[in-house]
Amino acid sequence: MGNERRFSAINTKIRVMRSRFLKDDDYIILMEREKVEDQIKYLKENTVYGEHLQDMETLDDIQHVELQLDRFLVMQFKKIVKYFSDDYEKLFKALMFRYETEDLKLYLRALARGEDLEKSVKISVVRSTYYSFSYDKIKTAKSLDDFIEKLKGTKFYDVLYPYRHEAYSKLLFYMEMNLDRLYFSHLSEAAQKLSRRDREIFNELLGENIDLLNIEWIYRGLKFYSLLPEELINYTLPNGRYFEYKDLKDLCYGDIEHLKEVVSGTKYKELVNEDRDIDLYMEIRIQRHLYDKFKNSFTRGKLDISISIAYIHLLEFEIRDIISILEAKKYGLSYFETKDYLVRTIKGSGE
Amino acid sequence: MSVEKMTMMNIIGKVDEVDGVLKDLLKTKKVDLVSALKQIEENNFLFDVSDENVDRLIDLNYITSYEKDEKFEEVVKKGEELESILNLEFDRAAIDTDAPMMKKEVIISEIEQIYHEVQEPKAMIHALEKEVDYLENFHANSFKEVQDFPVTIEELRNMEYFSFKMGILSKEDRYKLKKNYENILAILLHTGTSVDGEVYFVLYPSKLEEEMKRILRSLNFREIIIPKEYSGTPQEIREKLERNKERLHSEIQGQENILEEIKSRHKDRIKQLIDQLWLTSRLDDIKRNVAISKKYFYLSGWIAESDVAEMKRVLGGHEDMLSMFKGDTSEKPPTKLKNNWFFEPFQWLVNLYGTPAYNELDPTPFVGLSYMLFWGIMFGDLGQGAVLVLGGIWLGKKMKLFGGLLTRLGISSMIFGTLYGAVFGIETLIPALWMKPFENINDILMVAIFAGIGILLVSYVYGIINAYKRHDIEEGLFGKEGVAGVILYLMLLAIVGGSLLGIQIIPMPLGVAIAVVALLGIVFRLPLTHMIEKKKPLHGDDVGGYYVESIFSLIETFLAMLSGTISFIRVGAFALTHVGLFLAFETIGHMSGTTMGAIIAMVVGNIFVLGLEGLIVFIQGMRLQYYELFSRYYKGDGQEFKPVSLENN
């Protein structure tokens, strides 16, 4: 199937869907509201997210807003998936796989706290019918060992199996590393089946994303965790765009200064810009880098996979920003402080 | 050659006779049971109130139905399980129905007892097989690649400054390790393959135990714990494992012998029990349609009128039975088709579309004749027809109806093959008794259309008869498939056909006048019908809507008549395709230039035509039947007559 046929319908639809995103004005109004309640009320009455917030009893539950927005995101995913078939459908399902792993993490944390998994399903993002594992099976798990055993036959089993006797405190770290790794390898695999042009586009997007995550991981590993260089390198993600294994290895066996030096010579130099606190702003800088990239693909507007992928991520960043605005209000940050923590740059503000 | 006349049989008998009566009815395979409770509610259990009947009538007030016996159902499942554990497979059709019925309690307790007896060996076998699996999948293969490793496990365990681990690494992780080998103080050795992945042996300084653990964990290393009791070199361990496996196998054999012994000890009794189990459960199934009171049972079912005498005889064998046969009830009887051996296979084609309603003409003979005619014209070939006949006879052993259908179509092919003078696609072997389609293209197309017109007219007749049977004046007289429709069609044929052929069949003005009358009949069919039936008002609520719809349906009528007639051209076209395909293969044969090449081309061509074109022609034939013909005269909304029997539900 040619790209014209594959993308003409969905790209048009996505443009319409994107036109419902918040405008800069919405952001400014939201930030200028006095209280969290007023902000949520505004979301409820004036934005596309409103209809998903209708059932809120009180207007101060940020967690609930986040959950509803995430569910909205998954719903958008499902809408888009319907437009694709075969390998493209598989790719989008692989992208959705991330939310499945998020839910799995949720259950594991609940298990660690000794909570009832039935309760956690209420705050899960994906509907359990879409899981590749059986929720009905795992919800009866009494111990971690039992839980992992009940995942047998799924992709999760192999990556979790080595940790079945681990203490919960340590476990979450390993698990999250491994689940993320699983998600990315799953994605890379799915991307290989796309048409050549789309594969290149996707690999570029994914590759830069992986580069950024690897740099962040090594930076933090060197600075905060006392990990062996061997461990550090083993937990990195493969298939980066500019940082290949040997480059990463070089970073892992060096020190922080070396890392800063190397990174400032690349297109990711903003990450280690000393104008502001590197530790504090690294995460948001990564997201801004990706945000710009995705926004670019939208502007170029070619008939290829970039628009659908960009849409999903831009929506994700928007949700993140909304939640940041609510949280900032809750902790009493000023208008200008809040803007610093947003992925989107609002007119007239500058970093 | 028709739909059999049905009658409703209602029986009242003594409650303790119920099993016997049901068994006898099952054996006849001639009764389609319906819910007796429903019949009673609708007052169909009518009989004279005489002294001897009073008792039965009063009892009607205490009527209930049989309950599903859940407990017994469980035992039936256990019985089936028993059969599979003991590798017994009894033929449900060969059940000895004459054996005296055992009591349910007896069946249950004996089945439970034997079932209990086989549980232990069965569980043992299961556990042992699991152990074998474990050995085969895991340990046995983990050492496969290191047969000549001279060091024993004990020596490795006793090393002072070094430790070792065995485990599984994924390809990706193994790759990572390889690229960072210079920084890792360990030796890695590939030792074998287990179901879960590649197995590696890691040797490292004991001092680095903690680091090694962390590194391996970051690689998702899945350690295989080697049990303490294993000793010796990998080769020795492997051999020991093999011995273990053999031991397990012989233990399994031992348990199987125990099962075998149980089987031979109880074999005959098991057969009896399972038979009884099945029979009882089948009777229980059927009894859901039977009603009971304190002393009597009540049973209702459809039978063919021609079977009444036989039923009376069967029931006569039981004491104190009261039976009634009632031909015309308010209910719609199921349809039992009765066709002679020649048309029977075509019944399958008809049922595929829908069973005729009880008061509908059975279209089977018409379908049979017309289908064979079309098939013959499209696929006329003496040789290929003979292959179809042989294939049909062979298939008929497994699939009676489809085989029979194929045989008949083959015969039709052979007849038309003789008329066309074609044998296996070779047109020169025998002379044509009638004509060669490819040399008379226009003729064959005309023949197809004329045959189609003939068949269409017959289907109009069928439609009118069916409407008459349904007492449907609107469709029968004024419908577009009714009398008005057929008149319109005939007039169109006469006018259009006449002018095409250049002969006058009917004077133009007269023809047009009759056609217009028929058209008006179709347009005003509802008010006309109501006038005849003396019903008021003449129209429904929406008068305007009715006429708009009616006039538009005229256009559809014209189109359907035109396209329906022309669509029969395909029959002629396929006769040409058939020859044309062979011509292509013949040409390929000539191009090869050798006799062998020509023979191969013809053989391949025959296989190709028989398979692919045969399938297409088969489907085209069905299309003509279902779409062009059935839509004109056939509803097929009847219910098939399904007699109860021992084997099926």
Side-chain angles (χ1 to χ4, degrees):
Chain A
M1 188 158 49
N3 273 5
E4 282 70 23
R5 268 177 60 202
R6 188 178 283 124
F7 294 110
S8 52
I10 181 65
N11 282 10
T12 314
K13 173 149 177 106
I14 284 178
R15 267 173 227 286
V16 176
M17 280 157 73
R18 183 160 184 244
S19 69
R20 302 193 188 121
F21 273 24
L22 300 193
K23 311 279 177 293
D24 278 2
D25 288 349
D26 290 319
Y27 270 64
I28 294 168
I29 294 171
L30 268 179
M31 283 189 279
E32 281 176 344
R33 291 280 143 125
E34 293 285 318
K35 284 185 295 189
V36 176
E37 283 88 337
D38 298 335
Q39 291 177 320
I40 296 179
K41 192 157 176 268
Y42 182 79
L43 284 174
K44 204 167 155 179
E45 286 165 5
N46 299 298
T47 68
V48 64
Y49 309 107
E51 64 176 291
H52 301 275
L53 302 173
Q54 289 311 321
D55 63 334
M56 286 193 68
E57 285 157 18
T58 57
L59 287 172
D60 55 354
D61 188 351
I62 300 180
Q63 221 190 342
H64 184 78
V65 175
E66 187 171 4
L67 175 67
Q68 286 305 100
L69 296 193
D70 282 346
R71 284 179 177 165
F72 173 75
L73 176 70
V74 170
M75 214 175 78
Q76 301 289 303
F77 244 121
K78 283 176 199 152
K79 272 190 189 164
I80 296 178
V81 171
K82 280 192 198 130
Y83 280 79
F84 292 106
S85 56
D86 309 333
D87 294 325
Y88 281 76
E89 188 185 345
K90 278 187 203 139
L91 178 83
F92 280 89
K93 291 217 167 124
L95 278 162
M96 251 176 83
F97 182 62
R98 187 168 129 219
Y99 297 93
E100 195 181 323
T101 57
E102 290 301 322
D103 279 353
L104 195 67
K105 287 178 194 169
L106 194 81
Y107 297 139
L108 272 159
R109 285 190 210 114
L111 196 69
R113 288 193 299 267
E115 277 173 17
D116 191 357
L117 293 185
E118 301 261 11
K119 232 183 267 165
S120 305
V121 77
K122 287 194 195 120
I123 50 168
S124 63
V125 176
V126 188
R127 286 233 315 276
S128 60
T129 41
Y130 289 93
Y131 290 157
S132 60
F133 55 89
S134 157
Y135 170 73
D136 288 331
K137 229 169 159 184
I138 62 157
K139 76 178 177 194
T140 59
K142 290 284 166 282
S143 66
L144 181 65
D145 198 8
D146 190 19
F147 185 89
I148 293 173
E149 204 45 51
K150 282 179 168 141
L151 286 171
K152 200 163 188 169
T154 70
K155 304 180 220 51
F156 300 108
Y157 182 72
D158 280 352
V159 301
L160 296 181
Y161 179 81
Y163 308 106
R164 66 200 187 286
H165 299 309
E166 204 71 49
Y168 281 115
S169 57
K170 266 190 175 177
L171 175 84
L172 288 176
F173 167 77
Y174 288 120
M175 287 236 340
E176 306 214 345
M177 288 311 288
N178 273 313
L179 287 176
D180 288 344
R181 211 160 63 157
L182 179 68
Y183 164 67
F184 278 102
S185 81
H186 200 51
L187 257 191
S188 300
E189 209 175 288
Q192 296 323 305
K193 305 266 177 58
L194 304 180
S195 72
R196 201 171 65 95
R197 192 163 127 211
D198 286 328
R199 188 170 65 231
E200 278 165 10
I201 295 167
F202 191 82
N203 281 344
E204 186 192 322
L205 293 172
L206 185 68
E208 288 200 15
N209 197 344
I210 288 174
D211 278 347
L212 292 164
L213 289 174
N214 279 339
I215 293 168
E216 186 189 25
W217 159 247
I218 296 171
Y219 178 85
R220 289 190 177 167
L222 291 174
K223 192 154 182 185
F224 304 114
Y225 316 135
S226 50
L227 285 175
L228 301 168
E230 290 82 12
E231 278 181 281
L232 217 46
I233 183 72
N234 284 342
Y235 281 121
T236 57
L237 302 166
N239 306 322
R241 183 160 166 80
Y242 299 107
F243 284 80
E244 288 174 15
Y245 186 86
K246 62 173 182 356
D247 308 312
L248 294 173
K249 192 167 147 188
D250 173 52
L251 297 183
C252 290
Y253 283 89
D255 58 12
I256 292 263
E257 288 312 312
H258 178 65
L259 182 136
K260 283 187 200 163
E261 197 187 314
V262 173
V263 174
S264 44
T266 66
K267 71 186 289 188
Y268 308 123
K269 58 174 177 290
E270 189 57 30
L271 252 61
V272 289
N273 186 342
E274 308 261 12
D275 293 351
R276 283 170 183 255
D277 189 295
I278 298 178
D279 298 352
L280 197 58
Y281 284 99
M282 188 174 265
E283 178 102 31
I284 197 83
R285 282 165 165 169
I286 288 175
Q287 290 179 339
R288 280 182 189 159
H289 180 94
L290 293 170
Y291 178 82
D292 289 341
K293 218 168 160 51
F294 289 124
K295 225 178 129 189
N296 252 329
S297 353
F298 236 100
T299 327
R300 269 187 288 127
K302 296 236 175 88
L303 272 180
D304 55 35
I305 200 168
S306 58
I307 290 200
S308 7
I309 301 285
Y311 171 78
I312 288 294
H313 287 90
L314 290 176
L315 180 60
E316 200 179 316
F317 289 134
E318 172 148 312
I319 290 171
R320 199 204 114 103
D321 275 352
I322 293 173
I323 300 305
S324 298
I325 292 173
L326 299 183
E327 294 277 0
K329 187 60 67 185
K330 185 173 158 195
Y331 293 107
L333 267 65
S334 75
Y335 179 85
F336 288 101
E337 282 170 318
T338 308
K339 275 211 297 200
D340 274 353
Y341 290 103
L342 299 186
V343 180
R344 177 147 149 194
T345 333
I346 307 298
K347 259 181 289 170
S349 72
E351 193 219 351
Chain B
M1 300 260 268
S2 61
V3 176
E4 279 220 46
K5 228 169 151 35
M6 304 302 287
T7 182
M8 172 65 85
M9 172 175 76
N10 289 326
I11 302 173
I12 304 176
K14 282 200 170 148
V15 99
D16 43 347
E17 292 266 358
V18 65
D19 283 348
V21 173
L22 279 175
K23 264 200 306 190
D24 284 348
L25 293 181
L26 279 180
K27 272 193 272 183
T28 65
K29 292 189 189 175
K30 280 175 177 165
V31 189
D32 188 352
L33 284 183
V34 296
S35 164
L37 268 183
K38 200 167 154 242
Q39 292 296 315
I40 293 169
E41 264 164 38
E42 287 171 8
N43 284 326
N44 285 335
F45 264 86
L46 293 176
F47 36 89
D48 303 333
V49 184
S50 58
D51 286 347
E52 50 173 340
N53 290 341
V54 165
D55 204 18
R56 294 182 173 93
L57 267 175
I58 294 172
D59 231 30
L60 264 174
N61 297 323
Y62 304 100
I63 212 136
T64 56
S65 62
Y66 277 95
E67 295 283 322
K68 195 173 164 188
D69 191 342
E70 306 266 351
K71 201 176 157 211
F72 197 70
E73 302 264 300
E74 266 169 45
V75 181
V76 172
K77 278 194 197 113
K78 280 186 181 170
E80 278 164 10
E81 210 182 309
L82 201 59
E83 265 183 286
S84 90
I85 293 172
L86 295 181
N87 267 327
L88 293 164
E89 223 175 90
F90 299 124
D91 184 3
R92 301 291 189 229
I95 287 177
D96 178 13
T97 45
D98 296 327
M101 297 293 281
M102 293 183 203
K103 279 206 167 131
K104 270 190 183 177
E105 298 76 47
V106 178
I107 305 176
I108 293 175
S109 82
E110 286 202 36
I111 287 275
E112 291 275 10
Q113 192 203 331
I114 301 174
Y115 185 77
H116 184 74
E117 214 175 320
V118 300
Q119 279 314 300
E120 198 189 314
K122 194 195 129 203
M124 289 281 279
I125 289 177
H126 186 71
L128 289 166
E129 277 173 346
K130 228 172 140 182
E131 218 172 310
V132 171
D133 262 2
Y134 179 66
L135 281 182
E136 275 179 351
N137 290 337
F138 218 72
H139 287 115
N141 290 329
S142 304
F143 302 99
K144 210 173 189 171
E145 304 273 317
V146 283
Q147 308 219 355
D148 51 357
F149 197 67
V151 186
T152 64
I153 286 277
E154 300 89 281
E155 285 174 288
L156 289 174
R157 282 198 179 113
N158 293 334
M159 283 185 300
E160 203 170 327
Y161 299 110
F162 282 88
S163 306
F164 77 97
K165 283 186 194 305
M166 282 192 78
I168 294 162
L169 278 178
S170 77
K171 204 173 146 195
E172 189 191 304
D173 291 317
R174 166 87 187 105
Y175 188 63
K176 272 187 187 164
L177 196 64
K178 213 168 155 187
K179 283 215 253 176
N180 202 13
Y181 224 8
E182 75 270 18
N183 289 313
I184 288 169
L185 279 171
I187 294 170
L188 245 89
L189 204 65
H190 182 226
T191 59
T193 313
S194 83
V195 274
D196 296 302
E198 298 302 314
V199 183
Y200 290 91
F201 171 82
V202 190
L203 187 70
Y204 55 92
S206 306
K207 259 204 310 197
L208 297 177
E209 174 82 32
E210 203 38 52
E211 282 88 343
M212 212 51 221
K213 250 190 187 165
R214 283 166 61 183
I215 293 172
L216 286 175
R217 189 158 56 191
S218 69
L219 289 168
N220 270 329
F221 184 76
R222 291 172 57 180
E223 192 173 353
I224 299 172
I225 308 291
I226 303 169
K228 286 240 157 49
E229 63 269 24
Y230 287 1
S231 60
T233 62
Q235 176 69 17
E236 282 162 356
I237 292 178
R238 251 170 65 78
E239 280 162 11
K240 189 173 169 190
L241 291 175
E242 283 300 323
R243 280 199 299 279
N244 274 355
K245 222 165 84 182
E246 272 167 37
R247 180 179 53 80
L248 289 172
H249 275 302
S250 73
E251 275 178 42
I252 290 175
Q253 193 52 50
Q255 294 298 327
E256 271 170 359
N257 289 343
I258 296 178
L259 280 183
E260 203 51 46
E261 188 270 326
I262 296 174
K263 181 173 160 182
S264 62
R265 182 147 46 88
H266 293 301
K267 195 171 176 196
D268 295 335
R269 188 61 181 160
I270 292 176
K271 160 104 177 107
Q272 277 173 3
L273 284 168
I274 300 262
D275 272 10
Q276 288 286 319
L277 197 61
W278 178 254
L279 192 60
T280 312
S281 119
R282 188 76 190 104
L283 288 178
D284 275 4
D285 271 351
I286 294 165
K287 275 186 204 161
R288 270 180 241 160
N289 275 322
V290 177
I292 48 162
S293 57
K294 281 179 190 157
K295 292 183 197 154
Y296 299 100
F297 74 89
Y298 304 81
L299 177 152
S300 307
W302 292 104
I303 57 167
E305 219 169 58
S306 54
D307 292 331
V308 169
E310 186 184 344
M311 285 301 147
K312 281 188 176 155
R313 191 178 51 73
V314 169
L315 296 173
H318 295 274
E319 218 180 298
D320 218 5
M321 300 283 301
L322 188 65
S323 56
M324 286 145 291
F325 300 91
K326 196 165 144 218
D328 51 326
T329 61
S330 53
E331 273 167 281
K332 221 171 133 191
T335 311
K336 187 181 184 186
L337 295 180
K338 188 176 154 196
N339 281 295
N340 62 29
W341 65 270
F342 186 76
F343 289 121
E344 214 189 335
F346 294 99
Q347 212 166 289
W348 176 70
L349 273 184
V350 173
N351 278 328
L352 210 60
Y353 183 94
T355 307
Y358 181 65
N359 57 357
E360 204 171 10
L361 273 186
D362 176 13
T364 307
F366 177 45
V367 168
L369 288 175
S370 55
Y371 199 90
M372 279 170 64
L373 176 71
F374 290 146
W375 176 277
I377 298 178
M378 290 193 269
F379 208 79
D381 190 305
L382 185 59
Q384 300 222 324
V387 173
L388 287 179
V389 172
L390 291 177
I393 291 170
W394 179 71
L395 261 180
K397 284 176 193 155
K398 279 179 200 153
M399 304 150 76
K400 189 165 163 269
L401 289 179
F402 188 71
L405 186 67
L406 218 55
T407 316
R408 283 153 185 74
L409 295 180
I411 291 169
S412 173
S413 273
M414 287 173 75
I415 295 171
F416 275 86
T418 320
L419 294 174
Y420 292 163
V423 185
F424 286 119
I426 304 164
E427 303 264 320
T428 45
L429 222 56
I430 54 171
L433 286 183
W434 180 31
M435 64 168 164
K436 299 260 180 207
F438 219 68
E439 287 153 24
N440 304 284
I441 292 180
N442 283 338
D443 292 348
I444 192 80
L445 295 180
M446 291 296 281
V447 165
I449 291 194
F450 280 119
I453 290 172
I455 299 282
L456 269 181
L457 288 174
V458 176
S459 75
Y460 276 114
V461 173
Y462 262 85
I464 292 168
I465 295 176
N466 276 337
Y468 172 75
K469 288 186 135 195
R470 285 199 308 272
H471 308 292
D472 187 345
I473 296 174
E474 185 180 342
E475 281 299 317
L477 278 183
F478 307 114
K480 53 185 195 281
E481 271 91 39
V483 175
V486 84
I487 292 173
L488 181 64
Y489 185 56
L490 283 171
M491 288 308 117
L492 285 180
L493 280 179
I495 297 168
V496 179
S499 71
L500 281 179
L501 296 172
I503 43 170
Q504 197 186 44
I505 302 170
I506 187 168
M508 190 65 131
L510 179 63
V512 172
I514 296 176
V516 168
V517 171
L519 273 177
L520 291 176
I522 295 175
V523 173
F524 294 101
R525 63 181 182 279
L526 191 64
L528 286 173
T529 311
H530 283 183
M531 266 160 71
I532 293 171
E533 287 173 346
K534 299 196 174 73
K535 260 198 234 165
K536 291 247 159 132
L538 289 181
H539 301 86
D541 293 336
D542 186 6
V543 182
Y546 169 77
Y547 283 106
V548 172
E549 202 185 299
S550 194
I551 287 165
F552 273 105
S553 81
L554 274 188
I555 302 174
E556 200 218 319
T557 310
F558 277 118
L559 281 178
M561 283 176 177
L562 184 74
S563 67
T565 309
I566 293 185
S567 97
F568 286 96
I569 268 198
R570 85 187 63 213
V571 176
F574 272 102
L576 298 174
T577 316
H578 186 69
V579 187
L581 275 173
F582 274 119
L583 266 180
F585 281 101
E586 220 179 303
T587 316
I588 294 173
H590 282 309
M591 277 160 63
S592 75
T594 59
T595 322
M596 201 56 209
I599 292 172
I600 290 172
M602 275 325 265
V603 170
V604 173
N606 267 293
I607 293 170
F608 177 80
V609 168
L610 197 61
L612 196 65
E613 208 212 327
L615 183 70
I616 293 172
V617 167
F618 186 75
I619 291 167
Q620 287 298 343
M622 297 232 288
R623 197 208 105 95
L624 285 175
Q625 292 293 340
Y626 289 172
Y627 187 75
E628 302 298 345
L629 299 177
F630 275 9
S631 66
R632 283 171 214 277
Y633 70 90
Y634 184 59
K635 283 208 160 46
D637 54 355
Q639 229 188 342
E640 208 183 329
F641 177 78
K642 281 189 181 142
V644 285
S645 68
L646 262 182
E647 298 90 35
N648 53 23
N649 288 310

